[in-house]
Amino acid sequence: MAHRVTGVLIFFFLFVHVLDTALVRVSPEDYDKVVATYKTPIVAVLEYGLVAAILFHALNGLRVIAVDFWAKGARYQKQMLWTVVGVWIVLMLGAIYPVLGHAARVVFGS
């Protein structure tokens, strides 16, 4: 279920991204305003969520491929799921500072 949810979230992000990028042709001033909102701490948290969704979707996709194409994949799918979750947690902990560092400095000061 989480694989499907993250896939839908990524799709909607890509849809909004295409729309806001297309805005530059329609109204460069409005495009600049939209891009300025992307520099807020709230959007940084949303960006962290996007990183989480993409990373989980990618890692779980590899697990799904292993289940489908490896003869013993179905037997080990639970262990592979917990491995995916563990790797995802470690990588998300490592992404906290690079993704949220600027937002933390804006909110709490340097």
Side-chain angles (χ1 to χ4, degrees):
M1 185 67 166
H3 191 74
R4 292 177 180 155
V5 169
T6 56
V8 170
L9 291 173
I10 294 165
F11 170 79
F12 282 120
F13 163 76
L14 291 173
F15 181 72
V16 170
H17 179 64
V18 168
L19 287 178
D20 72 4
T21 303
L23 188 61
V24 76
R25 303 275 291 157
V26 177
S27 174
E29 298 82 19
D30 289 336
Y31 173 79
D32 290 338
K33 290 177 189 174
V34 169
V35 170
T37 64
Y38 292 163
K39 297 174 183 173
T40 63
I42 293 170
V43 175
V45 172
L46 293 173
E47 189 176 52
Y48 186 73
L50 176 65
V51 170
I54 291 172
L55 186 59
F56 180 82
H57 193 79
L59 293 172
N60 194 55
L62 293 174
R63 182 189 72 84
V64 169
I65 290 169
V67 169
D68 287 345
F69 293 107
W70 181 33
K72 297 180 183 179
R75 183 178 310 146
Y76 294 108
Q77 70 174 333
K78 191 178 233 182
Q79 291 90 337
M80 288 189 292
L81 174 63
W82 288 112
T83 301
V84 163
V85 170
V87 169
W88 178 77
I89 288 171
V90 168
L91 292 175
M92 287 309 299
L93 288 173
I96 288 174
Y97 183 75
V99 178
L100 295 176
H102 177 72
R105 286 187 296 277
V106 168
V107 172
F108 301 113
S110 294

